[in-house]
Coordinates of all heavy atoms in Angstrom, one line a residue:
L1 N 97.9 95.6 90.0 CA 98.2 94.6 91.0 C 97.0 93.7 91.3 O 97.1 92.4 91.4 CB 98.9 95.2 92.1 CG 100.3 95.7 91.8 CD1 100.9 96.4 93.2 CD2 101.3 94.7 91.4
R2 N 95.8 94.4 91.5 CA 94.7 93.6 91.8 C 94.3 92.7 90.8 O 93.9 91.4 91.0 CB 93.5 94.6 92.0 CG 93.6 95.3 93.4 CD 92.3 96.1 93.7 NE 92.7 97.3 94.5 CZ 92.5 98.6 94.0 NH1 92.1 98.7 92.8 NH2 93.0 99.5 94.7
L3 N 94.4 93.0 89.5 CA 94.1 92.1 88.4 C 95.1 91.0 88.3 O 94.8 89.9 88.0 CB 94.1 93.0 87.0 CG 93.7 92.1 85.8 CD1 92.4 91.5 85.9 CD2 93.7 93.1 84.6
M4 N 96.4 91.3 88.6 CA 97.4 90.3 88.6 C 97.1 89.2 89.6 O 97.3 88.0 89.4 CB 98.8 90.9 88.7 CG 99.4 91.7 87.6 SD 99.6 90.9 86.1 CE 101.1 90.0 86.5
A5 N 96.7 89.7 90.8 CA 96.4 88.7 91.8 C 95.1 87.9 91.5 O 94.9 86.8 91.7 CB 96.2 89.5 93.2
K6 N 94.2 88.6 90.9 CA 92.8 88.0 90.7 C 93.0 86.9 89.6 O 92.3 85.9 89.6 CB 91.8 89.0 90.2 CG 90.4 88.6 89.9 CD 89.5 89.7 89.4 CE 88.1 89.2 89.2 NZ 87.2 90.2 88.8
T7 N 93.9 87.2 88.6 CA 94.2 86.2 87.5 C 95.2 85.3 87.9 O 95.6 84.4 87.1 CB 94.5 87.0 86.2 OG1 95.6 87.7 86.4 CG2 93.3 87.8 85.7
K8 N 95.7 85.5 89.1 CA 96.8 84.5 89.6 C 98.1 84.6 88.9 O 98.8 83.6 88.8 CB 96.3 83.0 89.7 CG 95.0 82.9 90.5 CD 94.9 81.8 91.4 CE 93.6 81.6 92.1 NZ 93.2 82.5 93.2
N9 N 98.4 85.7 88.3 CA 99.6 85.8 87.6 C 100.7 86.3 88.6 O 101.9 86.0 88.2 CB 99.5 86.9 86.4 CG 98.7 86.3 85.3 OD1 99.2 85.4 84.6 ND2 97.6 87.0 84.9
L10 N 100.4 86.8 89.7 CA 101.1 87.0 90.8 C 100.4 86.6 92.0 O 99.3 86.8 92.0 CB 101.7 88.5 90.9 CG 102.7 89.0 90.1 CD1 103.0 90.5 90.3 CD2 104.1 88.2 90.4
S11 N 101.0 86.1 93.1 CA 100.4 85.7 94.3 C 99.8 87.1 95.0 O 100.5 88.2 94.8 CB 101.2 85.0 95.2 OG 102.3 85.9 95.9
L12 N 98.8 86.8 95.8 CA 98.3 88.0 96.6 C 99.4 88.6 97.4 O 99.5 89.8 97.6 CB 97.1 87.5 97.4 CG 96.3 88.5 98.2 CD1 95.8 89.7 97.3 CD2 95.2 87.8 99.0
K13 N 100.1 87.7 98.1 CA 101.3 88.2 99.0 C 102.1 88.9 98.0 O 102.5 90.0 98.6 CB 102.0 87.0 99.5 CG 103.1 87.3 100.4 CD 103.8 86.1 100.9 CE 105.0 86.5 101.7 NZ 105.8 85.3 102.1
D14 N 102.6 88.6 97.0 CA 103.5 89.3 96.1 C 102.9 90.7 95.7 O 103.6 91.7 95.8 CB 103.9 88.7 94.8 CG 105.0 87.5 95.2 OD1 105.6 87.4 96.2 OD2 105.2 86.6 94.2
C15 N 101.6 90.8 95.4 CA 101.0 91.9 95.0 C 101.0 92.8 96.2 O 101.2 94.1 96.0 CB 99.6 91.6 94.5 SG 99.6 90.9 92.9
R16 N 100.6 92.4 97.4 CA 100.6 93.2 98.6 C 102.0 93.7 98.8 O 102.2 94.9 99.2 CB 100.1 92.5 99.8 CG 98.6 92.3 99.6 CD 98.1 91.5 100.9 NE 96.6 91.5 100.8 CZ 96.0 90.5 101.4 NH1 96.5 89.5 102.2 NH2 94.6 90.5 101.3
N17 N 103.0 92.9 98.8 CA 104.5 93.4 99.1 C 104.9 94.4 97.9 O 105.5 95.5 98.2 CB 105.5 92.3 98.9 CG 105.3 91.4 100.2 OD1 104.8 91.7 101.3 ND2 105.7 90.0 100.0
L18 N 104.4 94.2 96.8 CA 104.8 95.1 95.6 C 104.1 96.6 96.0 O 104.7 97.7 95.9 CB 104.3 94.7 94.2 CG 105.3 93.7 93.7 CD1 104.7 93.2 92.3 CD2 106.6 94.4 93.3
S19 N 102.8 96.5 96.5 CA 102.2 97.7 96.7 C 102.8 98.5 97.9 O 103.0 99.6 97.8 CB 100.7 97.4 97.1 OG 100.0 98.6 97.4
D20 N 103.3 97.8 98.9 CA 103.9 98.3 100.1 C 105.3 98.9 99.6 O 105.7 100.1 100.0 CB 104.2 97.2 101.1 CG 103.0 96.8 101.9 OD1 102.0 97.5 101.7 OD2 103.0 95.8 102.5
S21 N 106.0 98.2 98.6 CA 107.2 98.7 98.1 C 107.1 99.9 97.4 O 107.8 101.0 97.5 CB 107.9 97.6 97.2 OG 108.3 96.5 98.0
F22 N 106.0 100.0 96.6 CA 105.6 101.2 95.8 C 105.5 102.3 96.7 O 106.0 103.5 96.5 CB 104.5 101.0 94.9 CG 104.0 102.2 94.2 CD1 104.7 102.7 93.1 CD2 103.0 103.0 94.6 CE1 104.3 103.9 92.4 CE2 102.5 104.2 94.0 CZ 103.2 104.6 92.9
E23 N 104.6 102.2 97.7 CA 104.5 103.2 98.6 C 105.7 103.8 99.4 O 105.8 105.0 99.5 CB 103.3 102.8 99.7 CG 101.9 102.7 99.1 CD 100.8 102.4 100.1 OE1 101.0 102.6 101.3 OE2 99.9 101.7 99.7
F24 N 106.5 102.7 99.8 CA 107.7 103.1 100.4 C 108.7 103.9 99.6 O 109.1 105.0 99.9 CB 108.4 101.9 100.9 CG 109.8 102.2 101.6 CD1 109.8 102.7 102.8 CD2 110.9 101.7 101.0 CE1 111.0 102.8 103.5 CE2 112.2 101.9 101.5 CZ 112.2 102.6 102.9
I25 N 108.8 103.5 98.4 CA 109.6 104.2 97.4 C 109.2 105.5 97.0 O 109.9 106.5 97.1 CB 109.9 103.3 96.1 CG1 110.8 102.0 96.4 CG2 110.6 104.1 95.0 CD1 110.7 101.0 95.4
A26 N 107.8 105.6 96.8 CA 107.3 106.9 96.5 C 107.4 107.9 97.7 O 107.7 109.1 97.4 CB 105.8 106.8 96.2
S27 N 107.2 107.4 98.8 CA 107.3 108.3 100.0 C 108.8 108.7 100.2 O 109.0 110.0 100.4 CB 106.9 107.5 101.3 OG 107.2 108.2 102.4
L28 N 109.8 107.9 100.0 CA 111.1 108.4 100.1 C 111.5 109.4 99.0 O 112.1 110.4 99.3 CB 112.1 107.2 99.8 CG 112.5 106.4 101.0 CD1 113.4 105.3 100.6 CD2 113.1 107.1 102.2
R29 N 110.9 109.2 97.8 CA 111.1 110.2 96.7 C 110.5 111.4 97.1 O 111.1 112.5 96.8 CB 110.6 109.5 95.4 CG 110.8 110.5 94.3 CD 110.3 109.8 92.9 NE 108.8 109.6 93.1 CZ 107.8 110.5 92.7 NH1 108.2 111.7 92.3 NH2 106.6 110.0 92.8
L30 N 109.2 111.5 97.6 CA 108.7 112.8 97.8 C 109.3 113.4 99.0 O 109.5 114.7 99.0 CB 107.1 112.5 98.1 CG 106.3 112.1 96.9 CD1 104.9 111.8 97.4 CD2 106.2 113.2 95.9
Q31 N 109.8 112.8 100.0 CA 110.5 113.3 101.2 C 111.7 114.0 100.6 O 112.1 115.1 101.0 CB 110.8 112.3 102.2 CG 109.5 111.8 103.0 CD 109.9 110.7 103.9 OE1 111.2 110.4 104.1 NE2 109.0 109.9 104.3
N32 N 112.5 113.3 99.8 CA 113.7 113.8 99.2 C 113.5 115.1 98.5 O 114.2 116.0 98.6 CB 114.4 112.7 98.4 CG 115.7 113.2 97.9 OD1 116.7 113.5 98.8 ND2 115.9 113.1 96.6
Q33 N 112.4 115.1 97.5 CA 112.2 116.2 96.8 C 111.8 117.4 97.6 O 112.1 118.6 97.2 CB 111.1 115.9 95.7 CG 111.6 114.9 94.6 CD 110.5 114.5 93.6 OE1 109.3 114.5 94.1 NE2 110.9 114.1 92.5
E34 N 110.9 117.2 98.8 CA 110.5 118.3 99.6 C 111.9 118.8 100.3 O 111.9 120.1 100.3 CB 109.7 117.7 100.7 CG 109.2 118.7 101.6 CD 108.3 118.1 102.7 OE1 108.5 117.1 103.2 OE2 107.2 118.7 103.1
K35 N 112.8 118.0 100.6 CA 114.0 118.5 101.3 C 114.8 119.3 100.3 O 115.3 120.4 100.5 CB 114.8 117.2 101.7 CG 116.0 117.6 102.4 CD 116.8 116.3 103.0 CE 118.1 116.5 103.5 NZ 118.7 115.3 103.9
Q36 N 114.9 118.8 99.0 CA 115.6 119.6 97.9 C 115.0 120.9 97.7 O 115.7 121.9 97.6 CB 115.6 118.7 96.6 CG 116.5 117.5 96.7 CD 116.2 116.7 95.4 OE1 115.2 116.6 94.9 NE2 117.2 115.9 95.1
L37 N 113.7 121.1 97.6 CA 112.9 122.3 97.4 C 113.2 123.2 98.5 O 113.4 124.4 98.3 CB 111.5 122.0 97.1 CG 111.2 121.4 95.7 CD1 109.7 121.0 95.6 CD2 111.7 122.2 94.4
A38 N 113.1 122.6 99.7 CA 113.3 123.5 101.0 C 114.8 124.1 101.0 O 115.0 125.3 101.5 CB 113.1 122.7 102.2
N39 N 115.7 123.4 100.4 CA 117.1 123.9 100.2 C 117.4 124.6 99.1 O 118.5 125.0 98.7 CB 118.1 122.6 100.3 CG 118.0 122.1 101.7 OD1 117.8 122.6 102.7 ND2 118.3 120.7 101.9
G40 N 116.3 125.0 98.3 CA 116.5 125.8 97.1 C 117.0 125.1 95.9 O 117.5 125.7 94.9
Q41 N 117.0 123.8 96.1 CA 117.5 122.9 94.8 C 116.4 122.6 93.9 O 115.2 122.6 94.4 CB 118.2 121.7 95.4 CG 119.3 121.9 96.3 CD 119.8 120.6 97.0 OE1 119.0 119.8 97.3 NE2 121.1 120.6 97.3
E42 N 116.7 122.2 92.8 CA 115.7 121.6 91.8 C 115.3 120.3 92.3 O 116.3 119.4 92.7 CB 116.2 121.6 90.4 CG 115.2 121.2 89.4 CD 115.7 121.3 88.0 OE1 116.5 122.2 87.7 OE2 115.2 120.5 87.1
A43 N 114.0 119.9 92.3 CA 113.6 118.6 92.7 C 114.0 117.5 91.7 O 114.0 117.8 90.6 CB 112.1 118.5 92.9
S44 N 114.6 116.4 92.2 CA 115.0 115.3 91.2 C 114.6 114.0 91.8 O 114.1 113.9 93.0 CB 116.6 115.4 91.0 OG 117.2 114.9 92.2
H45 N 114.7 112.9 91.1 CA 114.4 111.6 91.5 C 115.6 110.9 92.1 O 115.5 109.8 92.6 CB 113.9 110.7 90.3 CG 112.5 111.3 89.8 ND1 111.3 111.4 90.4 CD2 112.4 111.9 88.6 CE1 110.5 111.9 89.7 NE2 111.0 112.3 88.5
F46 N 116.7 111.6 92.1 CA 118.1 111.0 92.6 C 118.1 111.2 94.1 O 117.9 112.3 94.7 CB 119.2 111.6 91.9 CG 120.5 111.1 92.3 CD1 120.9 109.8 91.9 CD2 121.3 111.8 93.2 CE1 122.1 109.3 92.2 CE2 122.5 111.1 93.6 CZ 122.9 109.9 93.0
L47 N 118.3 110.1 94.8 CA 118.5 110.1 96.2 C 119.9 109.6 96.6 O 120.3 108.6 96.2 CB 117.4 109.1 96.8 CG 117.5 108.9 98.4 CD1 117.1 110.2 99.1 CD2 116.5 107.8 98.8
Q48 N 120.5 110.4 97.3 CA 121.9 110.1 97.7 C 121.8 109.0 98.9 O 121.3 109.3 99.9 CB 122.6 111.3 98.3 CG 123.0 112.3 97.3 CD 124.3 112.0 96.5 OE1 124.9 111.0 96.9 NE2 124.7 112.7 95.5
P49 N 122.4 107.8 98.6 CA 122.3 106.8 99.8 C 122.9 107.3 101.0 O 122.5 107.0 102.1 CB 123.3 105.8 99.1 CG 123.2 105.8 97.7 CD 123.1 107.4 97.4
K50 N 124.0 108.3 101.1 CA 124.4 108.8 102.3 C 123.5 109.7 103.1 O 123.8 110.0 104.2 CB 125.9 109.6 102.0 CG 125.6 110.8 101.2 CD 126.9 111.6 101.0 CE 126.7 112.7 100.0 NZ 126.2 114.0 100.7
D51 N 122.4 110.1 102.4 CA 121.6 111.0 103.0 C 120.4 110.3 103.9 O 119.5 110.9 104.4 CB 120.9 111.9 102.0 CG 121.8 113.0 101.5 OD1 122.9 113.2 102.1 OD2 121.6 113.6 100.3
I52 N 120.4 108.9 103.7 CA 119.4 108.2 104.3 C 120.1 107.1 105.5 O 121.3 106.8 105.2 CB 118.5 107.4 103.4 CG1 119.3 106.4 102.6 CG2 117.6 108.3 102.6 CD1 118.5 105.6 101.5
S53 N 119.3 106.8 106.3 CA 119.8 105.9 107.4 C 120.2 104.6 106.8 O 119.7 104.1 105.9 CB 118.8 105.8 108.6 OG 117.7 105.0 108.2
G54 N 120.9 103.8 107.6 CA 121.3 102.4 107.2 C 120.0 101.5 107.1 O 119.8 100.7 106.2
L55 N 119.0 101.7 108.1 CA 117.8 101.1 108.1 C 117.0 101.3 106.8 O 116.5 100.4 106.2 CB 117.0 101.2 109.3 CG 115.6 100.5 109.3 CD1 115.9 99.1 109.4 CD2 114.8 101.0 110.7
T56 N 117.0 102.5 106.4 CA 116.1 102.9 105.4 C 116.9 102.4 104.1 O 116.1 101.9 103.1 CB 116.0 104.5 105.3 OG1 115.3 104.9 106.4 CG2 115.2 104.8 103.9
R57 N 118.2 102.5 104.0 CA 118.9 101.8 102.9 C 118.6 100.3 102.7 O 118.3 99.7 101.6 CB 120.4 102.0 103.0 CG 120.9 103.4 102.5 CD 122.4 103.3 102.2 NE 123.1 103.1 103.4 CZ 123.5 103.9 104.5 NH1 123.1 105.1 104.3 NH2 124.2 103.5 105.5
H58 N 118.6 99.7 104.0 CA 118.2 98.2 103.9 C 116.8 98.0 103.4 O 116.6 97.1 102.6 CB 118.4 97.7 105.2 CG 118.1 96.2 105.4 ND1 118.9 95.3 105.0 CD2 117.0 95.6 105.8 CE1 118.4 94.0 105.2 NE2 117.2 94.2 105.7
Q59 N 115.8 98.9 103.8 CA 114.4 98.7 103.4 C 114.3 99.0 102.0 O 113.5 98.3 101.2 CB 113.6 99.6 104.2 CG 113.5 99.2 105.6 CD 112.9 100.2 106.6 OE1 113.0 101.4 106.4 NE2 111.9 99.8 107.5
L60 N 115.1 99.9 101.5 CA 115.1 100.3 100.0 C 115.6 99.2 99.2 O 115.1 98.9 98.2 CB 115.9 101.6 99.8 CG 115.7 102.2 98.4 CD1 114.3 102.5 98.0 CD2 116.5 103.5 98.3
R61 N 116.7 98.6 99.7 CA 117.3 97.5 98.9 C 116.3 96.3 98.8 O 116.1 95.8 97.8 CB 118.6 97.0 99.6 CG 119.3 96.0 98.9 CD 120.7 95.7 99.5 NE 121.6 96.8 99.9 CZ 121.8 97.2 101.2 NH1 121.3 96.5 102.2 NH2 122.5 98.2 101.5
D62 N 115.6 96.0 100.0 CA 114.6 95.0 100.0 C 113.4 95.3 99.0 O 112.9 94.4 98.3 CB 114.0 94.8 101.5 CG 114.9 94.2 102.3 OD1 116.0 93.5 101.9 OD2 114.7 94.1 103.6
A63 N 113.1 96.6 99.0 CA 112.0 96.9 98.1 C 112.3 96.7 96.6 O 111.5 96.2 95.8 CB 111.5 98.4 98.4
F64 N 113.6 97.1 96.3 CA 114.1 97.0 94.8 C 114.1 95.4 94.6 O 113.9 95.1 93.4 CB 115.3 97.6 94.7 CG 115.2 99.1 94.6 CD1 116.1 99.9 95.2 CD2 114.1 99.7 93.7 CE1 116.0 101.4 95.0 CE2 114.0 101.1 93.6 CZ 115.0 101.9 94.2
E65 N 114.6 94.7 95.5 CA 114.7 93.3 95.3 C 113.3 92.6 95.0 O 113.2 91.7 94.2 CB 115.3 92.5 96.5 CG 116.9 92.7 96.5 CD 117.5 92.1 97.8 OE1 116.9 91.3 98.5 OE2 118.7 92.5 97.9
L66 N 112.3 93.1 95.8 CA 110.9 92.6 95.5 C 110.5 92.9 94.1 O 109.8 92.1 93.4 CB 110.0 93.2 96.6 CG 109.9 92.5 97.9 CD1 109.2 93.5 98.9 CD2 109.2 91.2 97.8
V67 N 110.7 94.1 93.7 CA 110.4 94.6 92.4 C 111.1 93.8 91.3 O 110.4 93.3 90.4 CB 110.6 96.1 92.2 CG1 110.5 96.6 90.7 CG2 109.8 97.1 93.1
N68 N 112.4 93.5 91.5 CA 113.1 92.7 90.6 C 112.6 91.4 90.4 O 112.4 90.8 89.3 CB 114.6 92.7 90.9 CG 115.4 92.0 89.9 OD1 115.3 92.2 88.8 ND2 116.3 91.3 90.5
K69 N 112.2 90.7 91.6 CA 111.7 89.3 91.6 C 110.3 89.2 90.9 O 110.0 88.4 90.2 CB 111.6 88.9 93.0 CG 110.9 87.5 93.2 CD 110.7 87.2 94.7 CE 109.8 85.9 94.6 NZ 109.0 85.9 95.9
A70 N 109.5 90.3 91.1 CA 108.2 90.4 90.4 C 108.4 90.5 89.0 O 107.7 89.9 88.2 CB 107.4 91.4 91.1
Q71 N 109.3 91.4 88.5 CA 109.5 91.6 87.1 C 110.0 90.2 86.5 O 109.5 89.9 85.4 CB 110.5 92.7 86.9 CG 110.1 94.0 87.1 CD 111.1 95.1 87.1 OE1 112.2 94.8 87.3 NE2 110.6 96.3 86.7
Q72 N 110.9 89.5 87.1 CA 111.3 88.1 86.5 C 110.3 87.3 86.5 O 110.0 86.6 85.5 CB 112.4 87.7 87.4 CG 113.7 88.4 87.4 CD 114.8 88.0 88.4 OE1 114.5 87.1 89.2 NE2 116.0 88.5 88.3
T73 N 109.4 87.2 87.6 CA 108.2 86.3 87.4 C 107.3 86.6 86.3 O 106.8 85.7 85.6 CB 107.4 86.3 88.9 OG1 108.3 86.0 89.9 CG2 106.2 85.4 88.9
V74 N 106.9 87.8 86.2 CA 106.0 88.3 85.1 C 106.6 88.1 83.8 O 106.0 87.6 82.8 CB 105.6 89.7 85.3 CG1 104.9 90.3 84.1 CG2 104.7 89.9 86.6
R75 N 108.0 88.4 83.6 CA 108.6 88.1 82.4 C 108.6 86.7 82.0 O 108.3 86.4 80.8 CB 110.1 88.7 82.5 CG 110.9 88.7 81.1 CD 112.2 89.3 81.3 NE 112.2 90.7 81.8 CZ 112.8 91.0 83.0 NH1 113.4 90.1 83.8 NH2 112.7 92.2 83.3
A76 N 108.9 85.8 83.0 CA 109.0 84.4 82.7 C 107.5 83.8 82.3 O 107.3 83.1 81.4 CB 109.4 83.6 83.8
R77 N 106.5 84.4 83.0 CA 105.1 83.9 82.8 C 104.6 84.4 81.4 O 103.9 83.6 80.7 CB 104.2 84.4 83.8 CG 102.8 83.9 83.9 CD 102.1 83.9 85.2 NE 102.8 82.9 86.1 CZ 102.9 83.0 87.3 NH1 102.3 84.0 87.9 NH2 103.5 82.0 88.1
F78 N 104.8 85.6 81.0 CA 104.3 86.2 79.9 C 105.1 85.9 78.6 O 104.7 86.2 77.5 CB 104.0 87.5 80.0 CG 102.8 87.8 80.8 CD1 102.9 88.2 82.2 CD2 101.5 87.6 80.4 CE1 101.9 88.4 83.0 CE2 100.4 87.9 81.2 CZ 100.6 88.2 82.6
T79 N 106.4 85.6 78.7 CA 107.1 85.3 77.6 C 107.5 83.8 77.3 O 108.1 83.5 76.3 CB 108.7 86.0 77.6 OG1 109.3 85.6 78.8 CG2 108.5 87.5 77.7
R80 N 106.8 82.9 78.0 CA 106.9 81.5 77.9 C 106.6 81.2 76.5 O 105.4 81.5 75.9 CB 106.0 80.8 78.8 CG 106.4 79.4 79.0 CD 105.5 78.7 80.1 NE 105.6 79.7 81.3 CZ 104.9 79.5 82.3 NH1 104.1 78.5 82.5 NH2 105.0 80.3 83.4
G81 N 107.4 80.5 75.7 CA 107.2 80.1 74.4 C 107.4 81.1 73.3 O 107.3 80.8 72.2
L82 N 107.7 82.4 73.7 CA 107.9 83.4 72.7 C 109.4 83.5 72.3 O 109.6 84.0 71.2 CB 107.5 84.7 73.3 CG 105.9 84.9 73.6 CD1 105.7 86.3 74.2 CD2 105.1 84.7 72.2
L83 N 110.2 82.9 73.0 CA 111.7 83.0 72.7 C 112.2 81.9 71.9 O 111.7 80.7 71.9 CB 112.5 83.0 73.9 CG 112.2 84.3 74.8 CD1 113.0 84.2 76.2 CD2 112.5 85.6 74.1

């Protein structure tokens, strides 16, 4: 992300938002896996939406939207003229 910002392939703001999104998603995943292991379940990457608060679901949706937007931006920038 630092290189993407330095080369201006993504704005500094977008890179910071992506970094925050990554940390948020990773934190949710780890919390969920910790809960699964504590309950004697096998740890997985699947998170039941019903197991998180409405606010957290909203924040997760926002994080995924940021990732999607960044992917579209990068795709457009790096595939220009290739199609």
Side-chain angles (χ1 to χ4, degrees):
L1 289 174
R2 283 187 214 115
L3 183 58
M4 292 294 283
K6 185 177 180 180
T7 58
K8 305 221 187 287
N9 286 301
L10 280 177
S11 72
L12 183 58
K13 179 182 175 185
D14 286 343
C15 289
R16 286 181 178 155
N17 287 338
L18 280 171
S19 180
D20 290 345
S21 293
F22 173 79
E23 288 183 28
F24 177 72
I25 292 167
S27 175
L28 276 180
R29 182 178 56 88
L30 290 173
Q31 289 172 18
N32 184 57
Q33 288 175 338
E34 180 181 41
K35 186 177 171 183
Q36 289 170 328
L37 291 172
N39 290 330
Q41 302 169 325
E42 185 175 330
S44 74
H45 299 293
F46 185 74
L47 177 66
Q48 288 281 355
K50 67 180 175 74
D51 292 341
I52 58 177
S53 71
L55 176 61
T56 302
R57 274 194 306 275
H58 180 74
Q59 292 170 320
L60 186 58
R61 189 177 309 115
D62 287 347
F64 285 139
E65 285 176 12
L66 280 167
V67 170
N68 186 42
K69 178 185 168 209
Q71 287 175 332
Q72 289 173 356
T73 300
V74 169
R75 189 177 301 116
R77 188 156 291 153
F78 287 103
T79 60
R80 196 174 311 170
L82 295 178
L83 300 176

